[in-house]
Structure formats: C-alpha cells, structure tokens
C-alpha cells in the first residue's frame, strides 16, 4: 500500500512473444488471489477486460520489439510506468524471433505470407532495453513464477529483488546431478547460463540450452571452444548460442566483434 | 497497444464499433464492425499481433531442436506444438516409438488439456456469462468456484511438470520419446489429486451447463482427428461431418490458406467448401461415442448431445473434455510401465513428414522436410486458431445483426464473447507457413 493509502497499480503489456511469461502469473495458482487482492490490476488484457489508463506503479513487459507500432508503444508505456520490468527472454534479449537479425527478414516474410506487402514488420527483433531504460530484467524462457512473485513483492517493498545472477552449474550441483559435459561429453550451456530454472535439462541428462540467458560475466567464447573440443562443428556451436537468448551480447560475441561506439 | 487507445470507441450515429484490444484471449486481436441503416456493411477480426516467422528460422535447425523451438509458439499449449512436430518428424524419419512412450504422450496431452481448458473456462470465458470483467471479479462473488478452478489447473500443470520439468515449455519430449521418463511412483503420486479433480470437473460441467446461452445455432462443418480405438488426441485421421476423411499427409490437398489484408494470421478453408470449425465442439460432435462413461453421463445430464450447433455451448464441451482428461489420465497412470529406453535414436535421412494432433483449441498440423544431415529444409505449421478465424468472422456476421438494438458497449461485449467461444490463441495464429494459393 502506498503512502496515500491506495493499492499499487500493476499493468502487463505484451509485444512479440508466446504469452508464456504473463501466463506465469496466472500459473501462480496458490498465490494468485492474494496478489490480486494486494494490488490493483489496472491493465492485463490476457486476464481482464478492464483496461485502466496509467500511470502505473509497475509495468511488466513481455515480448520483443518487432514493429514500428510497438517501437512507439514502448515509449508511451515507459512514460506511464514508475518501474518498468521486462519479463522473459523476448523482452530482455529479443527472443527466438531475434534469429531474424542475422537473416533477410523480407525473404522470410515472403516465405511465410502470400502477400508480403500486407505485412509491416521491422527487420529486427530487439529487447526493450534497446528502446527505453529498464529498471529490472527478469530472465527466462519462460520466467520462473516464484521469481516473478519475488520481483513484485520486492518492488512494492522498495527493495532489490533477490534473484541469483550466478550460473546454472550452481543449481545443478545443488541437485546432486552428475555433470553431463564432464561425464558424457554432452555440450551444455550451463556454465554461462543464469540460474533460475532449477537445472531442468541436466537433470534429464541433456545439456542446458540456455533459456535463462547469459549469467553475469559469462565467458561464452571459452565455453564455445570447449564445445569444439568435444567435437561440435562450427555450425552446431552457432546454433547452440543462437536460440532463445541469441541476441544477448555475451552470447553474440562468440561470433561477433564488439560494435564500434 | 496501450490503454490510451483501448476503450471501445463509438463514432456518433452508432455506425462503428471498434474493440481495439480483444481482452482475455491469448495474443492481440482487434474487432471492427461497421453498420449503415441497421445493417452490417463491414466486419473484420484483425490480427495485429506481430508475425514471428517461425517457418523461416526453423530452416537450417537440427530436427532434435525442433520441439524446443515450436514450444515457443505458444505458452498455453506448448505440448501440442511439441507433439505435432515430434509426430511429423518421426513419420519423416521412420521412427516407431515404444507403446509406453505413446501412453506417456497421451498422458502429457491430458495434463495440457486440463490446464488449458480450465484456464479458458474459468478465467477467459466464464466472466462473460456472469457479466464480469475478469476472474478476479468472479472470485469476489463466488470464491469457491475460482479456488476450485485454480486447484484443477494446478493439477493439470502438475501432470506436465512431473513429465516435463515445468509447465510452460517443458524440456523432456523429443523425437523418439523423452529425454527422461517418469518412474511409476512419480505418476502414482498424482492419483489422489486426480481423483479429486475428476469430481471437481464433474461440478464444472454442471456449473457451465447452468449458464444462460444465447439462442444461436449455425450449420458448421466440424473437423477433428478420429481414431478407431480412442478419443483422438495424438493420432488419427482427419474427418468431418461432411465427408472429409484423410490422412494428415493429405491435409494440404484439402485445406488451403488465404492471406487477407486485415490479418497477420492466414485464414484456412476447405477447398471448394469454405470455412470449418476445429476444437472441443468439433471433437465432441465427431467422437462423442469414445468419451469415457463418466464424461458421457455428465454430458447427458448437461443436456449436451451431438450435434451441438450453438458455439456458446463450447464452454460445456470443454468441461466435459476436462472430465474425460482426468479419467483418462487415471487409466493411463494405472496402465503405465516404464519403457526399456526413454527414447529410440532417430537417424537423419532426406524425407518429408506431416502429422496433426488435437491441441486444446483444435487440430494442429505440422509438416517438415529434413536433409541427410538432419537439418530442416522446409517447415509448415497450421495452428487451430488460423483454421477457425474465417468461421469466427462468419459467426459474427450472423450473430451481430440480432444485437443491433443494443448500445455499442453491449454489442462489443457480446461480439467479444462470441469470439471467445473459440478460445482463440492469437500468438499461435501469427506464425505461418508457406501458402499455396488458388487465385492469381
């Protein structure tokens, strides 16, 4: 509750994405009614027909920016939001649709649509932070609903959310898994990926595919060399780093020079 | 889309009704209705949701990456996307999954049906019938019903989590089987909650059946998978009540897609016949006899008998299918024996394969071509919402004229309700496919 006694106002926005990250809020089945009681859900079209105007205390933004319309809309949202938080890989790293950034988007549009001139889309899919200042980025494809609840309560309490920035390997060790890369030679993005999923893939004896994106200070080029030692071809390494968070710079730099300022 | 442009706008003279953001659907849709002299002159369901071009970037990826990628088309029904792509790739590569794997896939699908159906019934559709803006308002009037829904949905998600690690974009399913299969005890632990869920879903049938339905019927062509031995989920022939009866490999010979200016999603039609409906009502009408006994009895008590032609009753069909999914999940868990290996190895070869499965919102078709290195050379995905889009618009053309005496806000709300009959998943519908055109 803010000092004037009103409930904090939350808004949820969506751009190019699968809806999975905002669904995480509805999937918080045990806590959902408590959250709905503690805040005013002012704008959340996936869940409600009520669509109140800003300003909002927290704007949760899902999805990447892929159209002119969305590039303008994110500016309006930023102006109306006290705290702007991106949720998920699309909003924080451009998402799977950022694969277009390395290709000819116009060709893909022609491939998919009979009348490409009906389609208006940018050549790129970019994270929200490339367009407006972002207060916090919640990682994951999809995000972890417990982290989302922590983020909402921390923001309302005016403190920094307690969300780990260390690597997935720490979670994996805590689960007592045998390392798939050391024991089975399976390429695994765990060493450069931020924790948060509970090391799901290595727990199923497959390599992590990086859906939580790069951890803090990730040394992705070094891991890429290790993949080559394990026998991966250059193309395989490229595909491993170019997936749900491929446009995030720590993963991009495996194949690219730093852009000139 | 921001709230500044989201309130239903009415031009003076009541000639235009715009709903710039369709609420309680997955993804972004818009509805525009124009009338003149008490008649509709134009009606469009627009899909401004940005295109995400999955068919483009699936090219060049390895077939083992495909189920992880296609899951990202939709957060509500990722399993449907994983299953259709896995079946299509297995058909291309000649992989025969172990019978226990087949059972697990069916169970996986039951979990997704429960989670998705309950979300739609209680959170997206029921508020319309009760005149509420959302489920939070419903909870203020009937907290028990919403708590029951949350617990049911959690159980559906629980089934998916046991098998796939997490409910959204699970990580276990792959070509040939699963990376890890559950132990029998892990599935058995779900049984007590499933037994509760079966009873709760029966209550959901009576609750939805007691709602007031608009007096509105249409003559639909219903299309669904049909299997000789079971209520079809993962496998079967594509059939309709007007004589369609084909293998998934023949889908594109019979169903064509049209690209219309106002939509980033394509419209599907049956060649030379036009629109059709997929989803729970189509499955219920075509496969009624194969529902479990409890589900059939619940339907009878709800006076839901095929052919059901009132699309607003799809909410009851969803509840009946939830009963079915709970009962079927219990049967599958009792019958489960872990396979000797979690998966069989699939060897790449140049080939093409197509398959369809029943996503919660209807038939989902995938086709892939693979080269000798296992890389995808062509992909095509036709989601259920795209198949229903033309039919949704036609429903509105028939339904809205009867509403024109009401004020604009009422018309907008009722038209939205008619769209929500289809549980449209617009994020799904904007990832398209190469189009075969009939016109010039």
């Amino acid at each position: 509750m803010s000092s004037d006694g009103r409930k904090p106002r939350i808004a949820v926005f969506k751009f190019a994405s699968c809806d999975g990250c905002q669904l995480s809020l509805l999937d918080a089945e045990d806590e959902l009614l408590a959250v709905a009681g503690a805040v005013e859900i002012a704008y959340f079209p996936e869940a409600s027909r009520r669509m109140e105007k800003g300003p909002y205390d927290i704007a949760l933004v899902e999805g990447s920016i892929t159209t002119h319309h969305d590039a303008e809309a994110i500016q309006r949202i930023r102006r109306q939001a006290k705290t702007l938080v991106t949720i998920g890989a699309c909003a924080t790293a451009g998402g799977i649709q950022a694969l277009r950034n390395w290709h000819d988007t116009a060709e893909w549009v022609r491939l998919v649509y009979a009348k490409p001139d009906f389609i208006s889309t940018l050549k790129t899919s970019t994270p929200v932070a490339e367009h407006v200042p972002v207060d916090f980025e919640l990682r994951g494809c999809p995000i972890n609903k417990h982290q989302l609840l922590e983020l909402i309560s921390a923001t309302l309490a005016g403190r920094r959310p307690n969300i780990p920035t260390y690597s997935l390997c720490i979670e994996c060790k805590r689960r007592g898994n045998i390392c798939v890369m050391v024991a089975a030679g399976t390429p695994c993005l765990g060493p450069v990926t931020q924790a948060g999923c509970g090391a799901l893939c290595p727990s199923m004896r497959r390599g992590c595919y990086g859906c939580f994106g790069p951890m803090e200070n990730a040394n992705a080029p070094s891991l890429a060399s290790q993949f080559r030692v394990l026998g991966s071809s250059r193309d395989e390494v490229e595909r491993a780093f170019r997936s749900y968070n491929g446009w995030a710079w720590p993963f991009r730099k495996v194949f690219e020079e730093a852009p000139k300022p | 889309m921001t709230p500044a442009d989201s309130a239903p706008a009415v031009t003076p003279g009541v000639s235009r009704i715009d709903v710039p953001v369709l609420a309680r659907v997955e993804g972004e849709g818009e509805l525009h209705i124009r009338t003149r002299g008490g008649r509709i002159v134009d009606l469009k369901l627009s899909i401004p949701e940005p295109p995400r071009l999955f068919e483009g970037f699936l090219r060049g990826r390895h077939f083992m990456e495909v189920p992880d990628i296609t899951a990202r088309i939709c957060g509500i029904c990722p399993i449907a996307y994983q299953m259709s792509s896995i079946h299509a790739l297995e058909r291309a590569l000649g992989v025969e999954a172990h019978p226990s794997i087949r059972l697990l896939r069916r169970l996986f699908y039951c979990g997704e049906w429960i989670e998705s159906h309950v979300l739609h019934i209680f959170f997206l559709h029921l508020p319309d019938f009760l005149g509420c803006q959302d489920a939070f308002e419903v909870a203020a009037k009937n907290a028990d019903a919403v708590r029951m829904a949350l617990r049911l949905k959690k159980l559906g998600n629980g089934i998916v989590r046991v098998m796939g690690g997490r409910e959204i974009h699970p990580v276990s399913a792959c070509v040939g089987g699963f990376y890890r299969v559950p132990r029998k005890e892990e599935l058995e632990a779900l049984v007590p909650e499933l037994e509760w869920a079966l009873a709760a879903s029966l209550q959901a049938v009576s609750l939805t059946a007691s709602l007031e339905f608009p007096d509105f019927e249409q003559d639909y062509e219903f299309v669904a998978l049909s299997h000789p031995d079971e209520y079809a989920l993962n496998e079967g022939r594509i059939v309709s009540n007007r004589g369609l009866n084909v293998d998934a490999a023949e889908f594109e010979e019979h169903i064509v897609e049209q690209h219309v200016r106002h939509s980033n999603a394509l419209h599907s039609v049956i060649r030379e016949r036009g629109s059709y409906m997929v989803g729970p009502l189509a499955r219920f009408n075509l496969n009624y006899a194969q529902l479990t006994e409890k589900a059939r009895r619940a339907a009878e008590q709800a006076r839901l008998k095929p052919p059901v032609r009132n699309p607003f009753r799809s909410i009851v069909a969803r509840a009946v299918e939830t009963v079915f999914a709970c009962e079927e999940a219990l049967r599958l868990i009792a019958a489960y024996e872990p396979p000797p290996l979690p998966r069989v190895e699939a060897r790449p070869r140049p080939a093409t394969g197509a398959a369809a499965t029943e996503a919660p919102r209807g038939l989902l078709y995938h086709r892939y071509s693979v080269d000798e290195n296992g890389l995808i050379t062509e992909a095509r995905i036709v989601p259920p919402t795209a198949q229903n889009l033309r039919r949704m618009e036609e429903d509105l053309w028939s339904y809205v004229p009867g509403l024109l005496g009401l004020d604009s806000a009422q018309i907008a709300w009722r038209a939205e309700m008619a769209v929500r009959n289809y549980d449209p998943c617009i994020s799904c519908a904007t990832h398209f496919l190469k189009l075969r055109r009939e016109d010039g």
Side-chain angles (χ1 to χ4, degrees):
Chain A
M1 199 82 69
S2 58
S3 52
D4 56 4
R6 67 172 177 84
K7 286 182 180 178
R9 308 181 84 224
I10 291 193
V12 184
F13 298 92
K14 159 188 161 78
F15 296 101
S17 66
C18 77
D19 276 51
C21 291
Q22 46 180 322
L23 178 66
S24 299
L25 191 54
L26 298 177
D27 273 355
E29 289 102 357
D30 295 330
E31 299 87 359
L32 181 62
L33 293 181
V35 173
V39 301
E40 182 193 343
I41 298 177
Y43 186 82
F44 186 5
E46 189 182 34
S48 179
R49 254 184 120 236
R50 257 183 90 220
M51 298 183 202
E52 306 285 336
K53 289 185 177 168
Y56 310 107
D57 294 284
I58 307 181
L60 301 174
V61 180
E62 174 188 291
S64 64
I65 306 300
T66 61
T67 64
H68 292 290
H69 173 273
D70 290 352
E72 286 164 20
I74 191 65
Q75 302 290 341
R76 289 199 296 276
I77 291 167
R78 176 67 269 189
R79 286 197 291 274
Q80 296 178 73
K82 199 167 136 195
T83 302
L84 189 152
V85 176
T86 59
I87 53 171
C90 297
T92 60
I96 185 78
Q97 52 276 356
L99 291 174
R100 69 169 67 172
N101 300 358
W102 290 285
H103 291 268
D104 179 358
T105 300
E107 187 203 318
W108 281 356
V109 170
R110 281 194 298 276
L111 189 75
V112 173
Y113 293 96
K115 298 176 183 167
D117 47 317
F118 290 1
I119 299 293
S120 159
T121 185
L122 295 171
K123 286 191 175 67
T124 53
S125 165
T126 43
V128 170
E130 284 192 24
H131 298 263
V132 295
V134 169
D135 298 296
F136 195 86
E137 296 183 328
L138 194 62
R139 298 283 176 81
C141 180
I143 55 168
N144 173 321
K145 68 185 175 194
H146 302 292
Q147 290 192 344
L148 177 64
L149 292 171
E150 160 63 13
L151 179 126
I152 293 173
S153 36
T155 308
L156 296 180
R159 62 174 171 84
R160 194 81 188 155
N162 180 14
I163 287 166
T165 52
Y166 49 71
S167 91
L168 187 90
C169 293
I170 300 204
E171 282 186 319
C172 200
K173 295 290 160 288
R174 282 192 190 133
R175 281 185 77 150
N177 291 335
I178 296 165
C179 178
V180 296
M181 197 151 60
V182 171
T186 306
C188 176
L189 285 171
V192 296
T193 297
Q194 182 166 302
C197 70
L200 286 179
C201 290
S203 305
M204 296 194 179
R205 314 298 304 146
R206 63 181 295 203
C208 161
Y209 59 82
C211 57
F212 269 66
M215 64 180 277
E216 215 168 61
N217 303 319
N219 187 349
S222 165
L223 185 67
S225 328
Q226 182 60 23
F227 283 8
R228 295 302 299 270
V229 171
L230 292 172
S232 297
S233 68
R234 192 199 173 280
D235 284 355
E236 283 166 345
V237 175
E238 186 180 286
R239 288 205 305 273
F241 283 94
R242 286 185 183 169
S243 65
Y244 314 96
N245 291 280
W247 195 245
W249 179 245
F251 285 179
R252 262 167 72 194
K253 75 175 177 194
V254 173
F255 301 98
E256 290 173 39
E257 296 294 315
K260 302 273 179 293
Chain B
M1 200 65 54
T2 52
D5 44 35
S6 69
V10 182
T11 324
V14 196
S15 60
R16 192 175 131 175
I17 298 157
D18 288 336
V19 182
V21 179
L22 267 173
R24 301 203 318 272
V25 298
E26 213 222 359
E28 280 203 357
E30 298 173 6
L31 179 62
H32 305 282
I33 302 169
R34 272 171 193 75
T35 60
R36 192 175 300 136
R39 289 164 58 101
I40 299 181
V41 290
D42 195 18
L43 186 154
K44 284 193 184 84
L45 194 55
S46 307
I47 307 294
E49 172 92 11
R52 289 164 69 211
L53 310 171
F54 272 73
E55 288 76 5
F57 57 73
L58 277 163
R59 288 188 169 195
R61 304 299 293 210
H62 190 269
F63 71 84
M64 286 299 277
E65 297 177 87
V66 170
D68 295 325
I69 295 175
T70 54
R72 266 71 186 182
I73 292 176
C74 179
I76 295 188
C77 53
I79 292 159
Y81 282 90
Q82 294 190 327
M83 286 298 124
S84 283
S85 55
I86 286 170
H87 279 269
L89 287 162
E90 287 182 353
R91 287 180 87 172
L93 303 174
V95 173
E96 189 78 41
H98 189 274
S100 290
I101 293 296
R102 189 175 183 281
L103 179 156
L104 280 177
R105 287 175 175 169
R106 205 166 155 80
L107 178 62
F108 207 26
Y109 231 133
C110 285
E112 178 159 285
W113 271 27
I114 297 169
E115 165 270 317
S116 174
H117 276 358
V118 171
L119 176 76
H120 188 259
I121 294 169
F122 289 91
F123 284 80
L124 309 185
H125 211 190
L126 184 66
D128 283 330
F129 289 91
L130 304 179
C132 295
Q133 302 293 335
D134 51 43
F136 308 118
E137 258 184 44
V138 176
K141 294 181 186 172
N142 189 346
D144 287 346
V146 175
R147 279 205 201 94
M148 180 183 87
L150 286 167
R151 188 172 160 189
L152 259 173
K153 183 166 150 299
K154 189 178 170 188
L155 176 265
N157 277 332
I159 295 174
V160 173
R161 205 165 43 244
V162 166
M163 300 180 61
R166 63 182 168 202
E167 45 276 66
I168 301 167
H169 309 331
V171 300
S172 58
C174 62
V175 175
F178 289 87
Y179 287 100
R180 174 192 178 272
V181 291
R183 297 188 307 275
K184 177 111 174 158
E185 314 85 83
E186 288 175 83
L187 296 184
E188 281 170 342
L190 295 162
V191 168
E193 192 63 6
L194 258 170
E195 281 167 349
W196 170 85
L198 179 55
S201 58
L202 288 166
Q203 280 183 45
V205 177
S206 356
L207 193 154
T208 52
S210 71
L211 301 170
E212 237 176 84
F213 299 101
D215 187 13
F216 178 72
E217 293 205 338
Q218 294 286 288
D219 191 15
Y220 296 103
E221 177 156 7
F222 295 108
V223 174
L225 284 186
S226 179
H227 189 279
D229 310 320
E230 57 194 20
Y231 197 75
L233 295 180
N234 280 39
E235 291 163 71
R237 286 176 72 79
I238 300 169
V239 305
S240 87
N241 54 326
R242 293 197 188 141
L244 187 72
N245 185 341
V246 299
D247 186 86
E250 302 164 273
F251 179 91
E252 291 167 55
E253 291 167 33
H254 298 273
I255 288 168
V256 289
E257 286 173 307
Q258 298 173 342
H259 189 179
V260 293
R261 186 178 285 277
H262 59 274
S263 169
N264 284 353
L266 306 177
H267 282 192
S268 295
V269 290
I270 296 182
R271 202 181 281 270
E272 288 156 17
R273 271 213 296 280
S275 73
Y276 59 101
M277 179 198 270
V278 299
L281 217 50
R283 293 189 293 251
F284 178 88
N285 283 326
L286 293 166
N287 299 327
Y288 176 78
Q290 290 167 315
L291 283 166
T292 52
E293 204 191 316
K294 279 202 173 69
R296 267 202 319 269
R297 216 178 317 133
E300 271 169 38
Q301 280 167 7
R303 289 201 286 272
L304 195 73
K305 276 196 188 134
V308 181
R309 294 199 183 91
N310 181 335
F312 292 92
R313 286 188 187 268
S314 59
I315 191 171
V316 193
R318 267 183 201 97
V320 169
E321 284 197 335
T322 308
V323 174
F324 160 79
C326 291
E327 216 181 343
E328 180 69 356
L330 283 165
R331 183 186 74 77
L332 293 165
I333 291 173
Y336 175 61
E337 290 302 331
L341 286 171
R343 62 187 160 103
V344 293
E345 202 71 30
R347 292 186 192 286
R349 66 180 188 194
T352 294
T357 69
E358 284 289 343
R361 30 201 76 63
L363 194 77
L364 169 58
Y365 169 81
H366 287 222
R367 170 170 59 77
Y368 299 92
S369 296
V370 184
D371 70 12
E372 66 280 5
N373 298 314
L375 302 182
I376 303 298
T377 55
E378 201 186 346
R380 183 163 187 210
I381 300 167
V382 187
T385 294
Q387 301 182 62
N388 278 333
L389 268 177
R390 171 66 62 86
R391 194 50 251 190
M392 275 180 232
E393 273 193 2
E394 287 177 6
D395 275 10
L396 291 170
W397 276 100
S398 310
Y399 183 56
V400 173
L403 307 175
L404 291 177
L406 300 171
D407 67 45
S408 295
Q410 280 286 321
I411 297 172
W413 169 54
R414 283 169 192 254
E416 284 179 59
M417 182 174 172
V419 170
R420 283 191 282 267
N421 287 330
Y422 289 83
D423 188 7
C425 180
I426 294 168
S427 296
C428 291
T430 52
H431 317 123
F432 285 90
L433 17 125
K434 189 155 181 146
L435 179 61
R436 213 186 292 158
R437 287 169 56 190
E438 292 200 305
D439 57 341

